[in-house]
Structures are given as C-alpha cells and as structure tokens.
Amino acid sequence: MSKTGGGKNTLALVETIRKRAKEKNAIILAHNYQIDEIQDVADFVGDSLELSRKAAETPAEVIVFCGVYFMAETAKILSPQKTVLIPDPKAGCPMADMITVDELRAFKAKYPGRPVVAYVNTSAAVKAEVDICCTSANAVHIVESVDSDEILFVPDKCLASYVAKKTSKKIIPYPGFCPTHHRIQPEQILKLKEQHPDAVVVAHPECTCEVVELADYVSSTSGMLRIVKENPACKFIVVTEMGILHRMKQENPGKQFYAPSEHAVCPNMKKITLEKLAWSLEDMEHKVLLPADIIEKARASIERMIAVS
Ligand code: 13P
Ligand code: SF4
C-alpha cells in the first residue's frame, strides 16, 4: 500500500503503476535518493549493494530500476535474462562518467601489476576491465580482501581516501568525485554542530575528506539509515543527498534531522518521476541492453564483490 500523500492525480498514477507492475510481473527497485513518491510506490528501496542483491535474487521477469543508469546496468549484468527498464535513460551519474575505458586503460598502464577496485559508480564497460567492484557499504572490506599491498581505486577519490585511512594498503586513487556531495562544505556542518551540540553527525563517504572528518559515523545510504534507527540520540546531522531524509523521517518519527546544504540534490536521481515510471511499464521502455561479452566480464567483477561481502 503506497504511503504517497499526493492529490487525486498522484493516487491514480500510483494505482496505475501498481496494476501494470502486477500485470507485467515486474519488481520496482528504487535508490534511497529517489523522489518521495517513487520511494513510496517501489517494492524495495535501498543502497547500491542491496539493490544489486535484489536484482540478482528476484523471481520477477521485469526489473524497473528507479535510480541512475549504472545501477540499472548492474541489475542487467546480474540478471541478463530479464528485461531491465529505466524510466529515464538520461539519468546518468557524472562521477561514473569521469572514467572511460580508455582512461582506465591509461591509469592501469601508469601503474602496471596493481589490481583495480572499481566503485559500482562506473559504466559496465569499465567494470568489465577491473578486478573487483565495491560499493560504499563494503569498500574497506573489499580492499582488504584483495591480495595485494597496492591497489588502484576508481573513480571516487573521496571514497578512496576514506578507505585509505581504514587500511594499511597503499591506495592509488583516480581523481573522480561526486558533484552533489562536493556541494557540502565543512563550515555548514560546523555551524549545525554549534547550533545542535548534542546531534550525531552521519555522513556518506563520497563527501570530501574535510567533511568526513567531522562525522561521528560514515556509511552507505542504507548504513546511515540503520545507524539513525539504532542510535538512541534524538538529533542527527545528515550529510548526504537530501532524498535520504524521506525514509529517515518515516522510520524515525520522534527524531530530528538537519541537512547541512539544501543544494545537496542529485539532479539525475530526480529525473525519475511517477509519470515516467508509468510510461516505462506501459511501453516496456527504456530497456537496458549490453553486449554479451561486457555482461560476462563485468559480472565477474560484481560477483566477486558479492561473494566476499
Ligand atoms: P549508496 O550505495 O551508499 O546508496 O550510494 C550510491 C550513490 O551513488 C551515492 O551517491
Ligand atoms: Fe552519482 Fe553523486 Fe548522483 Fe550518486 S549522488 S548518483 S555519485 S552524482
């Protein structure tokens, strides 16, 4: 049952979406940064790792992925026999676009012999040429699992620097970053801390080092949700994309949340709307299609990650 509070049109759209999803034997997966209405209509809302697992396990014939393109590609890689749809194929991830296959090859050539760990925020073609993937939920654990003292880490320099502090291995970072998380400034957190000295600071590791250093806890989006739920504190400074606040507020009605920057909004995540989701299910568009060899090679690096997570 949807918790969407919108008007008549919204309720009608939600009903249409649920009806079509049932007719088409489709599961609707949504990332924690999706707009509130999409989170409410979805069958499952989660972080990148949880969504990959769901995509791999679901008995549904169709996966409608409400997130950014690399996430839908990951679902297709893990369930190639299924139809994977993304309601807006232009919902890309600028960080994932910061490394192309040619750039990856040049980076590897500069540091020969070192294994490559790729954040899942990469294209399928890049995943096909790395040793193992990771998400923000398991990055430290994955790096620890790799049998080498020196590791190339692509494309997020911030996640790389967070991991480097948690391991004795030498991490060689690629200079990519998330433009949305980079909008959050340390001064904004310091100001909120001054106003709410009893608040717990939870941050995503895509934030800059200066911001991450101010956090009490650093975790993936779903990890942040778990920390807030389990921590007895009443006030939290939430340092990531604004979309996470929807579930946080729903799951913790008695707690208060403060976001350091209202500009921390990922415009690509917000491209998925109820209308586009309804059309997607109606027309069975837009299908995520990948060459068989890319699927096979990229799947190996994602499955290695899932096996050690
Ligand atoms: P999570 O895996 O933590 O949900 O992060 C994905 C992402 O793109 C954050 O910007
Ligand atoms: Fe990409 Fe950043 Fe948006 Fe996540 S929040 S999808 S890393 S641009």
Side-chain angles (χ1 to χ4, degrees), residues 46-120:
D47 67 11
S48 306
L49 184 61
E50 293 170 335
L51 292 167
S52 317
R53 285 213 172 100
K54 274 277 166 202
E57 292 162 6
T58 180
E61 282 166 55
V62 177
I63 298 170
V64 190
F65 209 106
C66 300
V68 288
Y69 205 81
F70 77 80
M71 295 180 177
E73 275 190 342
T74 304
K76 182 67 185 175
I77 292 162
L78 289 169
S79 289
Q81 74 291 356
K82 296 193 170 150
T83 301
V84 176
L85 306 174
I86 182 161
D88 187 335
K90 292 198 184 80
C93 166
M95 181 207 280
D97 293 340
M98 284 178 194
I99 186 160
T100 63
V101 172
D102 285 345
E103 285 162 340
L104 172 67
R105 287 179 186 162
F107 190 51
K108 281 162 76 165
K110 199 171 162 195
Y111 301 99
R114 276 78 156 189
V116 187
V117 175
Y119 191 22
V120 281

Side-chain angles (χ1 to χ4, degrees), residues 35-281:
I35 61 168
D36 301 357
E37 293 82 357
I38 292 287
Q39 293 193 35
D40 289 343
V41 82
D43 292 294
F44 181 79
V45 185
D47 67 11
S48 306
L49 184 61
E50 293 170 335
L51 292 167
S52 317
R53 285 213 172 100
K54 274 277 166 202
E57 292 162 6
T58 180
E61 282 166 55
V62 177
I63 298 170
V64 190
F65 209 106
C66 300
V68 288
Y69 205 81
F70 77 80
M71 295 180 177
E73 275 190 342
T74 304
K76 182 67 185 175
I77 292 162
L78 289 169
S79 289
Q81 74 291 356
K82 296 193 170 150
T83 301
V84 176
L85 306 174
I86 182 161
D88 187 335
K90 292 198 184 80
C93 166
M95 181 207 280
D97 293 340
M98 284 178 194
I99 186 160
T100 63
V101 172
D102 285 345
E103 285 162 340
L104 172 67
R105 287 179 186 162
F107 190 51
K108 281 162 76 165
K110 199 171 162 195
Y111 301 99
R114 276 78 156 189
V116 187
V117 175
Y119 191 22
V120 281
N121 298 38
T122 42
S123 67
V126 164
K127 286 184 180 81
E129 298 202 14
V130 301
D131 296 279
I132 189 165
C133 288
C134 75
T135 73
S136 58
N138 59 20
V140 176
H141 183 65
I142 296 291
V143 161
E144 287 290 329
S145 78
V146 175
D147 186 19
S148 171
D149 291 334
E150 285 192 25
I151 289 166
L152 304 185
F153 193 99
V154 302
D156 187 9
K157 63 177 178 182
C158 295
L159 183 59
S161 129
Y162 171 71
V163 171
K165 288 193 184 118
K166 301 268 171 195
T167 175
S168 56
K169 293 177 193 262
K170 183 174 176 204
I171 306 293
I172 304 168
Y174 190 81
F177 64 93
C178 165
T180 297
H181 283 87
H182 270 240
R183 292 198 191 109
I184 306 171
Q185 302 297 316
E187 299 73 33
Q188 295 165 324
I189 295 154
L190 289 170
K191 194 170 159 202
L192 278 176
K193 272 167 87 101
E194 215 176 280
Q195 289 164 354
H196 309 282
D198 50 342
V200 174
V201 183
V202 278
H204 195 276
E206 284 175 18
C207 295
T208 63
C209 303
E210 296 78 14
V211 164
V212 166
E213 262 167 36
L214 297 172
D216 297 303
Y217 298 95
V218 180
S219 194
S220 75
T221 53
S222 289
M224 291 172 75
L225 284 154
R226 273 189 294 275
I227 290 161
V228 164
K229 216 177 196 175
E230 286 161 17
N231 195 298
C234 295
K235 293 180 178 182
F236 295 86
I237 298 170
V238 183
V239 194
T240 190
E241 208 271 352
M242 300 288 282
I244 201 173
L245 292 171
H246 181 58
R247 254 184 88 186
M248 235 173 225
K249 287 178 186 166
Q250 273 184 343
E251 292 176 3
N252 305 279
K255 298 188 178 182
Q256 279 173 347
F257 304 106
Y258 307 96
S261 168
E262 61 185 23
H263 300 296
V265 173
C266 175
N268 286 287
M269 284 282 183
K270 310 306 183 206
K271 282 186 179 150
I272 313 290
T273 60
L274 284 179
E275 285 83 356
K276 288 181 194 170
L277 174 54
W279 292 329
S280 181
L281 278 160

